C-alpha cells in the first residue's frame, strides 16, 4: 500500500534513487500488523562500489566550499524536514511501528535539530594560532577526514541518519550510510531532502543491506571513518575491522543503565522517569534506565504508583494520536524480549505487570515490570532492548552507586532525589557517558551524547561531535633564520 513520501528506490547514490533487483530482496514490514509495506534490495557489490566511489569523487569539492555554504544546505534541509514532519513521521511510524504521537516529536524533528545545529556551527569551525616563542607560531587547520561510513540501528532511523550526517557533512566529509535492514526507508528520505536542499550529488549516499554490506563498507580502504549505532557485539566486530585500516570510529552501542530513585524523590517524577526510561519507543532505546534501583522505604509506594500509571498505556493503532505504546519493531526482537521475560520468571523475579505477547497480528507485547530483581539475574545484567523494567531494592547511597556501576556497560545513568548535593555526588560517581538528574532520556542536540566502558567511544551531538569528524593539521611557522646543529 503506498503511503506518504514512500521512497522511489532502494538506494540513493550519486544524487539519485537507484535500484538493482539482483540484490537480495529485503521485505519492509509494518510491525503493527505484520503486513509487508515495501521491498528494498540489498546493495550488490557493484552498488557498494558506486556509492563509495561517488562519495570519494564528491568529497573534495564539497570540502572546498565556503563553510557557511555547507551550513546553509544543512539548515535548508532542516527546514524542509520540519515542513514535511507529518508525512515523514507517518513513514517512520510505518517503518518502525512507533506511535505517531512519538515520531511527530522525536524523530524527524530531532534530525532537523541536528542539521540546524551543525549547519549553524559551519562558520565557526576554524583552527587556532599558538605562539611558541621567538615570534614563531603554530596555526591549526581543521580538515575533514574524507569518506565516512554511517551504520544505523532500527530504533531511530531518521534521527540516526541525521545525527551522523549533520556533523560529518558540515566538516566537509562525504558519507555512505547503511540503515538497519529492519527499517530501511527513512534514511532515503533524508538523502532526498538533503539533495533537494542543495547537497551536491555523491556527498550523502544510502545503501541497503545486511551486515555483509556494512562489512564491505567498513573494510574499504577509501573509508576514513566509521560511525556505528548498534549492539556491543556488532560494535566489537566493526571496531576491529576499522582498526585494521587505522580508521577513526564512533561507537554508540548498547547499555544496561541504572536509574537510582531515593526515597526523598518526588514520587510522580520518579515514576515518570522510570516510564520514560523503559517504555518510550516500546523500550527500544539504547540509553534506557532498565535497572531501576528504588530505596527500600519507597519501594511499595513506587510499585503501586507505577502499576497505576501503566493503566494509562494506550496500546493500539500507532497512527491514532491517542496511542502511546506501539509494537516491537520486529518479530525477532519480540522473541528475544519474550525469552528474557521467561528467564526473569525462571530466575525468581516477581512479575508485577504485563509479561505477555498480545493476541493480535503484529509484534505486540505488554509493558512489563519485574520487582525483587537481584544483580545476578540475567534480566539485570543483559540488554533486553524491549519494554521490560526491573526494580531492584537498595538501602544506602554508596551501595546504590557501586551496584549501579557494576556492569560492563556505561551509556547512561539517572538519579531522582530532592537532595541536590547527593544528586551531583551520584552524577560524579556514575560510570556513564550521559547522566540525568531528576529527568531521564532527554538528549537534545546541544549536549554531548555517548558512552564509557563497553557501551562505546566518541560523542555524538554538541560541538564535540565536530572533533570526531575532523582532524587538526598543525603548521609550524618559523619567523627567524633557521639553524641546525652543524
Ligand atoms: P545491531 O548491532 O544488530 O546492528 C546495527 C547495525 O550494524 C545494523 O545496520 C547492522 O546491519 C549492522 N551490522 C551488523 N553486523 C555488521 C558488521 N559485521 N559490519 C558492519 N555492520 C554490521 O543492532 P540493532 O540494529 O539490533 O540495534 C539495537 C542495538 O543498538 C542495541 O544494542 C541498542 O542499545 C543499540 N543502540 C545504541 C544507541 C546509542 O546511541 N548508543 C542508539 C540506538 C541503539 P543489519 O541489521 O542490516 O544486519
Amino acid at each position: 500500500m503506498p503511503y506518504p513520501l514512500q521512497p522511489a528506490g532502494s538506494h540513493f547514490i550519486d544524487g539519485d534513487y537507484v535500484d538493482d533487483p539482483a540484490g537480495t530482496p529485503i521485505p519492509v514490514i509494518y510491525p503493527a500488523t505484520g503486513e509487508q509495506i515495501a521491498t528494498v534490495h540489498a546493495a550488490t557489490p557493484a552498488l557498494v562500489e558506486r556509492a563509495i566511489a561517488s562519495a570519494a569523487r564528491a568529497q573534495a569539492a564539497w570540502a572546498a566550499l565556503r563553510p557557511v555554504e555547507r551550513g546553509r544546505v544543512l539548515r535548508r534541509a532542516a527546514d524542509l524536514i520540519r515542513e514535511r514532519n507529518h508525512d515523514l513521521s507517518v513513514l517512520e511510524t510505518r517503518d518502525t511501528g512507533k506511535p505517531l504521537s512519538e515520531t511527530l516529536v522525536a524523530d524527524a524533528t530531532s534530525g532537523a535539530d541536528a542539521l540546524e545545529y551543525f549547519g549553524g556551527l559551519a562558520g565557526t569551525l576554524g583552527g587556532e594560532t599558538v605562539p611558541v616563542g621567538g615570534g614563531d607560531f603554530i596555526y591549526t587547520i581543521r580538515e575533514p577526514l574524507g569518506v565516512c561510513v554511517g551504520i544505523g540501528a532500527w530504533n531511530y532511523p531518521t534521527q540516526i541518519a541525521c545525527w551522523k550526517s549533520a556533523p560529518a557533512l558540515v566538516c566537509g566529509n562525504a558519507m555512505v550510510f547503511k540503515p538497519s535492514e529492519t527499517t530501511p526507508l527513512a534514511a532515503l528520505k533524508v538523502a532526498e531532502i538533503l539533495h533537494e536542499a542543495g547537497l551536491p550529488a555523491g556527498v550523502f549516499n544510502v545503501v541497503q543491506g545486511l551486515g555483509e554490506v556494512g562489512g564491505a563498507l567498513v573494510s574499504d580502504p577509501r573509508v576514513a571513518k566509521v560511525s556505528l549505532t548498534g549492539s556491543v557485539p556488532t560494535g566489537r566486530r566493526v571496531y576491529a575491522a576499522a582498526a585494521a585500516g587505522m580508521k577513526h570510529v564512533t561507537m554508540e552501542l548498547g547499555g544496561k543503565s541504572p536509574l537510582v530513585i531515593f526515597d526523598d524523590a518526588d514520587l510522580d517524577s520518579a515514576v515518570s522517569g522510570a516510564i520514560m526510561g523503559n517504555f518510550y519507543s516500546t523500550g527500544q532505546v539504547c540509553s534506557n534506565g532498565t535497572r531501576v534501583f528504588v530505596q527500600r522505604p519507597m519501594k511499595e509506594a513506587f510499585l503501586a504508583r507505577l502499576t497505576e500509571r501503566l493503566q494509562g498505556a494506550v496500546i493500539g493503532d500507532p497512527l491514532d494520536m491517542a496511542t502511546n505504546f506501539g509494537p516491537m519493531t520486529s518479530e525477532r526482537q519480540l522473541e528475544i524480549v519474550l525469552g528474557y521475560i521467561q528467564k526473569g520468571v525462571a530466575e525468581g523475579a516477581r512479575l508485577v505487570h504485563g509479561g505477555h505477547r498480545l493476541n493480535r497480528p503484529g509484534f505486540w507485547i505488554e509493558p512489563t515490570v519485574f520487582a525483587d530483581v537481584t544483580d545476578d539475574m540475567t534480566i539485570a545484567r543483559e540488554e533486553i532492548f524491549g519494554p521490560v523494567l526491573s526494580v531492584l531494592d537498595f538501602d544506602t547511597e554508596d551501595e546504590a552507586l557501586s551496584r549501579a556501576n557494576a556492569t560492563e556497560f556505561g551509556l547512561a545513568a539517572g538519579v531522582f532525589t530532592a537532595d541536590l548535593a547527593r544528586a551531583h555526588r551520584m552524577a560524579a560517581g556514575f560510570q556513564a557517558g550521559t547522566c540525568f538528574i531528576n529527568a531521564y532520556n532527554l538528549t537534545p542536540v546541544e549536549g554531548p551524547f555517548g558512552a564509557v566502558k563497553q557501551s562505546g567511544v566518541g560523542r555524538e551531538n554538541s560541538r564535540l561531535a565536530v572533533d570526531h569528524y575532523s582532524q587538526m593539521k598543525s603548521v609550524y611557522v618559523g619567523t627567524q633564520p633557521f639553524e641546525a646543529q652543524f
Side-chain angles (χ1 to χ4, degrees), residues 150-305:
I151 299 177
W154 38 259
N155 55 348
Y156 281 82
T158 309
Q159 184 188 86
I160 292 171
C162 293
W163 281 21
K164 295 191 188 310
S165 62
L169 301 188
V170 82
C171 291
N173 301 286
M175 178 167 267
V176 180
F177 185 82
K178 191 201 83 68
S180 164
E181 99 274 8
T182 309
T183 54
L185 301 179
L188 293 165
K189 299 308 294 185
V190 172
E192 185 189 312
I193 289 173
L194 277 165
H195 287 79
E196 193 179 334
L199 193 75
V203 175
F204 183 68
N205 307 277
V206 176
V207 292
Q208 309 293 348
L210 304 163
E212 82 264 6
V213 170
L217 293 171
V218 171
S219 56
D220 192 283
R222 289 163 292 182
V223 169
K225 148 113 198 184
V226 179
S227 176
L228 170 80
T229 297
S231 62
V232 172
T234 303
R236 286 198 186 99
R237 276 199 301 278
V238 171
Y239 202 163
M246 207 59 80
K247 299 176 200 303
H248 299 250
V249 295
T250 299
M251 294 281 146
E252 293 292 353
L253 309 176
K256 190 73 200 175
S257 300
L259 173 57
V260 179
I261 296 171
F262 286 93
D263 62 6
D264 62 351
D266 176 71
L267 179 62
D268 263 307
S269 292
V271 170
S272 291
I275 290 173
M276 274 296 286
N278 282 275
F279 301 128
Y280 202 69
S281 298
T282 317
Q284 302 163 111
V285 180
C286 51
S287 49
N288 269 355
T290 47
R291 290 184 294 142
V292 181
F293 292 91
V294 181
Q295 204 167 19
R296 220 174 289 268
M298 195 194 242
K299 175 181 176 182
E300 292 312 323
F302 177 85
L303 284 172
R305 189 73 184 117

